[in-house]
């Protein structure tokens, strides 16, 4: 993992945020290649989920919403982690992680738990800590003006459900998709960009008929459909099959709103298989809640059956940053060449930040002219790079590390027979 982190910095994929001020834990910046990789992920997701389906509409909702949204969603009351403080060294820990590491129950922490930092047995009882970032709207910092940075993008979809359904004249089943930033004040951000405090989500809320409406596909069937479809998407993105698997959630780990959930897991170099994408059957919890708290009718009237009901929801939810990390880990390769270790990133061309590099073999005017021409033509449609400095071997090496799939070399034969060498 250390090698991947250092490659990401060296090549301009990912930097620690505010690095010149020693950083800020849980925040990251995406450099020139990182932003291209993320943009490619988002563009392909949007194309496959929104553009290529007539039953899905897109949305870009606000990051800060009326706090009632988070009351209705349950986040103000239950979006918490249990925390314990060490009274000796003043450090803070996740109670569930600490209990697991020390093989004790959470309720035993106060009596038996040991501080992982200083070793003293001076831990407090676990306390609930809300993960939402708080801020104030308007010039006065008072309770009435408290607002939150959204901890997930999907609530923006639920609160716009009526607007979108009516303006786009959508009939069940249909989906609403959104890509956007979300924020969680994680207690222990960890594993590079795997769990950070600011991240970007790609979420689809798929609205379907409730169970037992005649002749309509049930939520359970749609759950299976999206489970399968999302795995196929990850394979299409070029992730190796052996590094992906499903993991069903146990009943005890389901969120308060979910009836079933499955993760598509990726085999990360730290700690093995971990969640890449989550697919949840959220039932009609969210629409019902928002309907109740807002007093607006968010039910669906089905002309065919003459029934009125709340639509049920299947949600595939994927983090852009986590997807970028999985793609980088999956692409990372090392081999031996002439006694030296060569590092390269083997991306599928669709996700690779730079699609091609164009080199003239030497700085000969003729070669440079032809290479520049090829570069400028490709540049109209793709992000490509031009490099004439250093030996060809060294230039190849630079592109290998950046993950560029194609290198185009113009040599002395090129001007004679109008051919180039593609590697
Ligand atoms: Zn301590």
């Amino acid at each position: 993992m250390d090698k991947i982190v250092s490659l990401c910095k060296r090549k301009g994929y990912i930097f620690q945020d505010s690095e010149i001020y020693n950083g800020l834990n849980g925040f990251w910046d995406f450099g020139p290649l990182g932003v291209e990789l993320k943009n490619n992920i988002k563009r392909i997701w949007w194309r496959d989920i929104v553009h290529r389906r007539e039953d899905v509409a897109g949305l870009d909702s606000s990051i800060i919403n009326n706090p009632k949204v988070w009351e209705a969603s349950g986040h103000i009351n239950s979006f918490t982690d249990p925390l314990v403080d060490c009274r000796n060294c003043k450090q803070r820990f996740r109670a569930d992680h600490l209990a697991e590491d020390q093989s004790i129950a959470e309720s035993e922490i106060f009596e038996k738990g040991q501080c992982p930092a200083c070793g003293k047995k001076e831990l407090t009882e676990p306390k609930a800590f809300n993960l939402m970032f708080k801020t104030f709207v308007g010039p006065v910092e008072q309770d009435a003006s408290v607002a939150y940075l959204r901890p997930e993008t999907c609530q923006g979809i639920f609160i716009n459900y009526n607007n979108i359904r009516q303006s786009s004249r959508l009939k069940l089943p249909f989906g609403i998709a959104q890509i956007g930033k979300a924020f969680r004040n994680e207690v222990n951000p960890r594993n590079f960009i795997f769990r950070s405090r600011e991240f970007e989500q790609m979420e689809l809320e798929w609205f379907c008929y409730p169970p037992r409406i005649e002749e309509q596909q049930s939520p359970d069937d749609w759950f299976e459909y999206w489970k399968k479809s999302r795995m196929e998407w990850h394979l299409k993105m070029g992730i190796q099959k052996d590094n992906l698997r499903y993991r069903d959630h146990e009943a005890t780990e389901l969120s308060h709103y979910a009836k079933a959930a499955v993760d598509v897991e990726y085999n990360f170099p730290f700690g093995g298989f971990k969640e890449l994408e989550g697919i949840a059957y959220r039932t009609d919890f969210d629409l019902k809640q928002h309907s109740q708290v807002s007093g607006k009718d968010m039910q669906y009237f089905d002309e065919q059956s003459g029934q009125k009901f709340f639509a049920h929801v299947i949600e595939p939810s994927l983090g852009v940053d986590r997807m970028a990390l999985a793609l980088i880990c999956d692409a990372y390769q090392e081999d031996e060449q002439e006694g030296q270790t060569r590092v390269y990133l083997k991306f599928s061309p669709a996700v690779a930040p730079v699609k091609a590099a164009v080199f003239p073999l030497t700085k000969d005017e003729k070669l440079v002219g032809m290479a520049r021409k090829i570069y400028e033509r490709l540049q109209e449609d793709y992000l490509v790079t031009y490099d004439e400095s250093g030996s060809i071997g060294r230039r190849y090496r630079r592109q290998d590390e950046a993950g560029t799939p194609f290198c185009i070399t113009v040599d002395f034969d090129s001007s004679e027979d109008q051919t180039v060498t593609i590697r």
Side-chain angles (χ1 to χ4, degrees):
M1 195 60 209
D2 291 344
K3 288 182 186 168
I4 291 175
V5 175
S6 100
L7 176 74
C8 283
K9 181 175 176 187
R10 192 167 70 242
K11 299 308 289 185
Y13 272 95
I14 301 159
F15 308 121
Q16 186 180 28
D17 172 68
S18 315
E19 196 190 69
I20 59 168
Y21 295 106
N22 298 321
L24 183 62
N25 195 8
F27 296 91
W28 300 93
D29 296 339
F30 286 81
L33 294 185
V35 63
E36 296 298 336
L37 177 63
K38 275 180 74 175
N39 284 344
N40 290 342
I41 294 168
K42 289 188 274 186
R43 196 169 45 238
I44 296 170
W45 187 89
W46 194 261
R47 182 196 69 196
D48 291 348
I49 296 287
V50 182
H51 291 187
R52 287 188 174 168
R53 301 189 65 109
E54 51 188 326
D55 48 12
V56 176
L59 170 72
D60 182 16
S61 73
S62 184
I63 284 174
I64 294 177
N65 319 100
N66 189 309
K68 287 265 180 206
V69 171
W70 308 109
E71 190 189 310
S73 69
H75 283 80
I76 288 179
N77 284 326
S78 56
F79 192 55
T80 55
D81 273 343
L83 286 194
V84 292
D85 290 314
C86 170
R87 280 171 300 196
N88 180 53
C89 71
K90 310 291 176 211
Q91 292 211 54
R92 214 162 225 210
F93 309 95
R94 279 266 298 261
D96 50 340
H97 290 169
L98 192 140
E100 195 188 315
D101 290 347
Q102 302 184 9
S103 312
I104 52 174
E106 267 181 56
S107 56
E108 298 175 315
I109 288 177
F110 182 67
E111 271 175 51
K112 299 189 191 160
Q114 200 175 14
C115 171
C118 71
K120 289 263 163 64
K121 286 191 168 178
E122 294 200 34
L123 298 172
T124 60
E125 294 277 7
K127 253 194 326 240
F129 169 78
N130 197 292
L131 298 185
M132 283 194 294
F133 279 99
K134 251 187 200 174
T135 186
F136 298 93
V137 174
V140 190
E141 294 196 6
Q142 58 182 28
D143 285 353
S145 61
V146 167
Y148 303 92
L149 302 192
R150 66 180 177 200
E152 57 184 28
T153 54
C154 60
Q155 296 303 326
I157 294 177
F158 296 126
I159 58 178
N160 281 288
Y161 170 80
N162 279 351
N163 283 340
I164 294 176
R165 189 175 55 79
Q166 283 154 10
S167 59
S168 300
R169 302 174 57 230
L170 293 165
K171 294 230 182 328
L172 286 185
F174 67 87
I176 302 175
Q178 164 153 247
I179 298 177
K181 290 251 180 169
F183 305 81
R184 294 180 188 178
N185 197 2
E186 296 283 352
V187 182
N188 300 317
R190 52 169 116 185
N191 294 330
F192 198 27
I193 60 169
F194 180 79
R195 191 178 299 288
S196 46
R197 288 178 166 139
E198 173 178 339
F199 54 100
E200 211 166 0
Q201 291 187 309
M202 303 185 284
E203 294 196 300
L204 167 69
E205 304 307 312
W206 178 255
F207 299 95
C208 59
Y209 283 90
R212 294 181 299 279
I213 296 269
E214 257 174 65
E215 292 171 28
Q216 299 299 344
Q217 201 164 329
S218 73
D220 290 339
D221 290 343
W222 281 117
F223 182 78
E224 289 304 316
Y225 167 88
W226 283 110
K227 181 177 163 180
K228 188 163 159 262
S229 159
R230 295 308 302 151
M231 181 63 94
E232 283 164 6
W233 189 84
H234 289 289
L235 292 170
K236 194 183 83 175
M237 293 294 275
I239 294 189
Q240 297 165 64
K241 204 173 179 194
D242 293 346
N243 284 334
L244 290 168
R245 71 171 190 199
Y246 291 117
R247 191 183 69 84
D248 291 306
H249 284 216
E250 307 282 338
T252 50
E253 55 176 327
L254 289 175
S255 310
H256 57 281
Y257 51 75
K259 204 182 147 207
V262 62
D263 287 343
V264 174
E265 292 191 328
Y266 177 75
N267 188 12
F268 287 99
F270 49 87
F273 282 96
K274 286 180 187 302
E275 178 189 347
L276 176 60
E277 172 157 12
I279 298 137
Y281 171 23
R282 299 180 73 115
T283 67
D284 55 2
F285 176 85
D286 303 274
L287 290 177
K288 235 183 201 162
Q289 279 294 111
H290 285 301
S291 206
Q292 212 164 61
V293 176
S294 69
K296 305 285 188 305
D297 187 4
M298 298 179 87
Q299 292 182 92
Y300 182 86
F301 177 71
D302 184 39
E303 286 166 16
Q304 214 180 322
S305 65
Q307 295 187 57
K308 209 175 171 189
F309 47 76
F310 287 102
H312 278 230
V313 174
I314 310 295
E315 172 196 75
S317 169
L318 173 63
V320 182
D321 316 72
R322 204 171 276 190
M323 185 67 194
L325 181 60
L327 284 169
I328 291 170
C329 292
D330 212 65
Y332 186 89
Q333 312 273 336
E334 277 179 10
D335 65 10
E336 290 284 318
Q337 274 199 353
E338 294 148 15
Q340 279 193 326
T341 313
R342 177 178 72 133
V343 170
Y344 62 102
L345 292 174
K346 197 175 164 192
F347 287 121
S348 111
V351 301
V354 179
K355 305 301 183 204
V358 185
F359 313 141
L361 185 63
T362 69
K363 285 183 183 168
D364 180 278
E365 224 172 89
K366 240 186 187 168
L367 303 191
V368 168
M370 196 173 162
R372 291 292 309 178
K373 224 182 226 163
I374 294 170
Y375 166 70
E376 279 156 24
R377 257 187 75 181
L378 286 172
Q379 202 188 29
E380 287 176 25
D381 296 304
Y382 305 103
L383 180 65
V384 289
T385 184
Y386 173 84
D387 188 359
E388 57 175 38
S389 68
S391 71
I392 273 289
R394 193 169 284 218
R395 282 181 264 170
Y396 279 146
R397 197 64 78 82
R398 264 187 246 155
Q399 297 306 321
D400 289 342
E401 281 202 326
T404 307
F406 301 106
C407 289
I408 300 163
T409 305
V410 175
D411 59 27
F412 290 101
D413 291 335
S414 299
S415 55
E416 304 296 320
D417 56 12
Q418 298 291 306
T419 61
V420 293
T421 306
I422 297 180
R423 174 178 178 268

Tab-separated table of all heavy atoms in Angstrom, residues 78-96:
chain	number	residue	atom	x	y	z
A	78	SER	N	-29.942	9.242	14.678
A	78	SER	CA	-29.266	7.938	14.717
A	78	SER	C	-28.045	7.801	13.810
A	78	SER	O	-27.532	6.696	13.659
A	78	SER	CB	-30.266	6.829	14.423
A	78	SER	OG	-30.877	7.070	13.196
A	79	PHE	N	-27.560	8.900	13.214
A	79	PHE	CA	-26.352	8.763	12.398
A	79	PHE	C	-25.136	8.983	13.292
A	79	PHE	O	-24.458	10.006	13.244
A	79	PHE	CB	-26.372	9.765	11.250
A	79	PHE	CG	-25.329	9.497	10.207
A	79	PHE	CD1	-25.253	8.257	9.581
A	79	PHE	CD2	-24.428	10.466	9.832
A	79	PHE	CE1	-24.303	8.003	8.616
A	79	PHE	CE2	-23.463	10.223	8.865
A	79	PHE	CZ	-23.407	8.993	8.259
A	80	THR	N	-24.908	8.022	14.168
A	80	THR	CA	-23.876	8.216	15.188
A	80	THR	C	-22.941	7.024	15.252
A	80	THR	O	-23.278	5.925	14.829
A	80	THR	CB	-24.532	8.357	16.581
A	80	THR	OG1	-25.358	7.198	16.806
A	80	THR	CG2	-25.377	9.603	16.676
A	81	ASP	N	-21.760	7.277	15.803
A	81	ASP	CA	-20.818	6.217	16.154
A	81	ASP	C	-20.648	6.261	17.664
A	81	ASP	O	-20.630	7.341	18.248
A	81	ASP	CB	-19.459	6.482	15.509
A	81	ASP	CG	-19.377	5.911	14.110
A	81	ASP	OD1	-20.218	5.059	13.778
A	81	ASP	OD2	-18.479	6.331	13.355
A	82	PRO	N	-20.504	5.088	18.312
A	82	PRO	CA	-20.247	5.098	19.756
A	82	PRO	C	-18.773	5.416	20.014
A	82	PRO	O	-17.900	4.806	19.423
A	82	PRO	CB	-20.577	3.662	20.174
A	82	PRO	CG	-20.338	2.857	18.946
A	82	PRO	CD	-20.568	3.738	17.761
A	83	LEU	N	-18.524	6.395	20.870
A	83	LEU	CA	-17.146	6.826	21.123
A	83	LEU	C	-16.770	6.703	22.589
A	83	LEU	O	-17.601	6.907	23.468
A	83	LEU	CB	-16.987	8.305	20.780
A	83	LEU	CG	-16.959	8.691	19.325
A	83	LEU	CD1	-16.450	10.110	19.219
A	83	LEU	CD2	-16.053	7.761	18.544
A	84	VAL	N	-15.498	6.410	22.847
A	84	VAL	CA	-14.997	6.485	24.215
A	84	VAL	C	-13.795	7.422	24.249
A	84	VAL	O	-13.046	7.526	23.289
A	84	VAL	CB	-14.565	5.105	24.778
A	84	VAL	CG1	-15.765	4.203	24.980
A	84	VAL	CG2	-13.557	4.441	23.862
A	85	ASP	N	-13.651	8.142	25.368
A	85	ASP	CA	-12.505	9.024	25.567
A	85	ASP	C	-11.571	8.381	26.575
A	85	ASP	O	-12.013	7.675	27.489
A	85	ASP	CB	-12.956	10.375	26.137
A	85	ASP	CG	-13.735	11.181	25.117
A	85	ASP	OD1	-13.272	11.249	23.971
A	85	ASP	OD2	-14.815	11.700	25.459
A	86	CYS	N	-10.265	8.648	26.429
A	86	CYS	CA	-9.310	8.250	27.461
A	86	CYS	C	-9.112	9.455	28.373
A	86	CYS	O	-8.739	10.531	27.906
A	86	CYS	CB	-7.990	7.832	26.822
A	86	CYS	SG	-6.688	7.607	28.045
A	87	ARG	N	-9.382	9.266	29.676
A	87	ARG	CA	-9.271	10.405	30.584
A	87	ARG	C	-7.810	10.759	30.858
A	87	ARG	O	-7.505	11.846	31.308
A	87	ARG	CB	-10.013	10.104	31.899
A	87	ARG	CG	-11.507	10.315	31.744
A	87	ARG	CD	-12.254	9.811	32.942
A	87	ARG	NE	-11.991	8.373	33.111
A	87	ARG	CZ	-12.723	7.564	33.868
A	87	ARG	NH1	-13.740	8.039	34.553
A	87	ARG	NH2	-12.437	6.283	33.963
A	88	ASN	N	-6.922	9.817	30.579
A	88	ASN	CA	-5.505	10.100	30.801
A	88	ASN	C	-4.894	10.909	29.659
A	88	ASN	O	-4.426	12.014	29.857
A	88	ASN	CB	-4.742	8.789	31.008
A	88	ASN	CG	-3.264	9.048	31.240
A	88	ASN	OD1	-2.899	9.829	32.113
A	88	ASN	ND2	-2.417	8.411	30.443
A	89	CYS	N	-4.959	10.359	28.411
A	89	CYS	CA	-4.265	11.034	27.309
A	89	CYS	C	-5.212	11.830	26.420
A	89	CYS	O	-4.780	12.433	25.447
A	89	CYS	CB	-3.455	10.032	26.488
A	89	CYS	SG	-4.448	8.920	25.495
A	90	LYS	N	-6.509	11.832	26.737
A	90	LYS	CA	-7.512	12.664	26.049
A	90	LYS	C	-7.781	12.235	24.603
A	90	LYS	O	-8.378	12.982	23.840
A	90	LYS	CB	-7.112	14.160	26.041
A	90	LYS	CG	-6.706	14.733	27.399
A	90	LYS	CD	-7.883	14.839	28.341
A	90	LYS	CE	-7.444	15.321	29.714
A	90	LYS	NZ	-8.273	14.802	30.804
A	91	GLN	N	-7.337	11.045	24.224
A	91	GLN	CA	-7.631	10.610	22.857
A	91	GLN	C	-8.999	9.946	22.791
A	91	GLN	O	-9.528	9.491	23.796
A	91	GLN	CB	-6.544	9.649	22.369
A	91	GLN	CG	-5.220	10.359	22.200
A	91	GLN	CD	-4.399	9.743	21.098
A	91	GLN	OE1	-4.873	9.610	19.976
A	91	GLN	NE2	-3.168	9.379	21.395
A	92	ARG	N	-9.528	9.890	21.574
A	92	ARG	CA	-10.876	9.420	21.338
A	92	ARG	C	-10.850	8.192	20.416
A	92	ARG	O	-10.086	8.157	19.469
A	92	ARG	CB	-11.598	10.541	20.615
A	92	ARG	CG	-13.030	10.632	20.966
A	92	ARG	CD	-13.554	11.987	20.585
A	92	ARG	NE	-14.346	12.448	21.710
A	92	ARG	CZ	-15.389	13.244	21.589
A	92	ARG	NH1	-15.739	13.699	20.415
A	92	ARG	NH2	-16.074	13.581	22.645
A	93	PHE	N	-11.696	7.204	20.702
A	93	PHE	CA	-11.701	5.986	19.887
A	93	PHE	C	-13.119	5.525	19.602
A	93	PHE	O	-14.037	5.793	20.367
A	93	PHE	CB	-10.949	4.857	20.607
A	93	PHE	CG	-9.592	5.268	21.076
A	93	PHE	CD1	-9.405	5.727	22.381
A	93	PHE	CD2	-8.508	5.241	20.211
A	93	PHE	CE1	-8.152	6.141	22.810
A	93	PHE	CE2	-7.255	5.652	20.640
A	93	PHE	CZ	-7.074	6.096	21.945
A	94	ARG	N	-13.273	4.787	18.491
A	94	ARG	CA	-14.558	4.152	18.180
A	94	ARG	C	-14.724	2.989	19.144
A	94	ARG	O	-13.898	2.082	19.195
A	94	ARG	CB	-14.540	3.593	16.754
A	94	ARG	CG	-14.791	4.594	15.660
A	94	ARG	CD	-16.248	4.668	15.253
A	94	ARG	NE	-16.800	3.432	14.699
A	94	ARG	CZ	-16.938	3.198	13.402
A	94	ARG	NH1	-16.560	4.088	12.523
A	94	ARG	NH2	-17.486	2.062	12.975
A	95	ALA	N	-15.818	2.982	19.913
A	95	ALA	CA	-16.037	1.933	20.898
A	95	ALA	C	-16.118	0.553	20.247
A	95	ALA	O	-15.564	-0.422	20.744
A	95	ALA	CB	-17.313	2.222	21.685
A	96	ASP	N	-16.793	0.482	19.094
A	96	ASP	CA	-16.953	-0.834	18.457
A	96	ASP	C	-15.610	-1.386	17.967
A	96	ASP	O	-15.328	-2.580	18.120
A	96	ASP	CB	-17.992	-0.767	17.324
A	96	ASP	CG	-17.741	0.378	16.348
A	96	ASP	OD1	-17.036	1.337	16.717
A	96	ASP	OD2	-18.259	0.312	15.220
